[in-house]
Amino acid sequence: MQYPALDPVAFSIGPLAIRWYALAYIAGLLSGWGLMRRFADASLTLTREAVDDFLTWATFGVILGGRLGYVLFYKPGFYLLHPLEIVKVWEGGMSFHGGCLGVIVAVILFARRRQVPVFHLGDLVCTVVPLGLFFGRLANFINGELFGRPADPTEVPWAMVFPRGGALPRHPSQLYEAALEGAALFLLLMLARSLPVFRRHPGSMAGLFLTGYGLARFTAEFFREPDDFLGLLWAGASMGQLLSLPMIVAGLALTGWVLRQPPSLPYKA
């Protein structure tokens, strides 16, 4: 298949170009905010007003954490020599793992400031994060970036020739990630949230998210082309896989520890 000719610019207002990537961030934050406000109606510890205030904290956590994560995890040598390039977020270069750490810091600081149970807030945030991941991966596809590894079109008839990927057909790994990290993980978390064992153990949803995302990303990386400036690293793993392993371990440990604690009731019956 030929990659469809998609314009990374959604529309322009005079000299201002609005890109799909920016709209994906906005859609992810607003959809997550809206769903968290609905969750707040059933919460005993979190109000809609608190959710409204947290949106700003989450935005800064995503942007600052995502950018610094990319700088430290992917190109530390380059940015050490060119520190002014760090602020050029509009040129691309964001790390989900860094953004995740940024949001974790935002959750902890906000919870302390507003005296909200940190695990309860973390559970609500983790439940809606896959929405942002879904929109973000679709934007990656529209931009024709982060494409997959070469694929045999006789075995993978949906393999595409990406403009930046040479003449070889490749896996549309951005769509795989949208399905796994976005849609499937969101449905899993929503199902878990309906179960009493998860609702009565704050922190269990956060643990499930960390484990689920780590496994989804680790799997998708087998089809995604490694960054050309990194290639494959230790034991043939990509950077994305190496960064996902600690998430899986932390998620399993957190879920196991939380489920051994006495149950509480952070939601209305």
Side-chain angles (χ1 to χ4, degrees), residues 18-241:
I18 307 300
R19 296 179 173 271
W20 286 109
Y21 201 67
L23 293 179
Y25 268 83
I26 294 171
L29 287 166
L30 291 183
S31 59
W33 165 68
L35 189 55
M36 280 188 66
R37 292 186 96 239
R38 290 187 59 185
F39 290 161
D41 292 337
S43 172
L44 296 173
T45 59
L46 199 66
T47 65
R48 285 194 169 198
E49 290 73 20
V51 172
D52 294 343
D53 293 342
F54 180 71
L55 178 62
T56 302
W57 292 65
T59 302
F60 278 106
V62 168
I63 296 175
L64 294 178
R67 184 58 171 173
L68 291 177
Y70 183 80
V71 169
L72 296 174
F73 298 149
Y74 289 89
K75 289 187 173 182
F78 171 81
Y79 288 108
L80 181 63
L81 296 176
H82 306 87
L84 294 180
E85 296 292 317
I86 295 176
V87 300
K88 296 182 179 180
V89 181
W90 57 88
E91 294 185 356
M94 298 286 281
S95 161
F96 169 78
H97 296 92
C100 181
L101 291 174
V103 172
I104 289 173
V105 172
V107 166
I108 293 172
L109 294 178
F110 184 85
R112 289 182 176 178
R113 183 181 181 89
R114 296 294 295 265
Q115 296 185 339
V116 174
V118 66
F119 278 161
H120 184 204
L121 176 59
D123 280 353
L124 296 185
V125 172
C126 287
T127 305
V128 303
V129 165
L131 295 173
L133 291 169
F134 177 78
F135 290 118
R137 294 310 183 191
L138 292 183
N140 292 148
F141 179 75
I142 292 173
N143 287 347
E145 62 189 5
L146 306 183
F147 42 75
R149 303 184 189 190
D152 184 346
T154 62
E155 298 178 359
V156 186
W158 55 87
M160 296 182 181
V161 178
F162 288 88
R164 306 183 204 174
L168 294 175
R170 296 176 176 274
H171 288 280
S173 56
Q174 313 96 321
L175 301 183
Y176 300 172
E177 291 185 271
L180 289 174
E181 304 167 9
L185 184 55
F186 177 72
L187 292 176
L188 173 65
L189 291 169
M190 290 298 291
L191 174 63
R193 187 178 181 275
S194 68
L195 302 177
V197 64
F198 285 95
R199 292 171 64 88
R200 294 172 183 172
H201 289 85
S204 57
M205 294 288 292
L208 181 61
F209 167 80
L210 291 173
T211 305
Y213 175 84
L215 290 172
R217 177 68 181 270
F218 193 92
T219 301
E221 286 283 330
F222 285 114
F223 303 95
R224 176 173 161 176
E225 181 73 12
D227 296 291
D228 55 4
F229 53 88
L230 286 177
L232 295 176
L233 305 173
W234 181 74
S238 68
M239 176 61 79
Q241 288 176 319

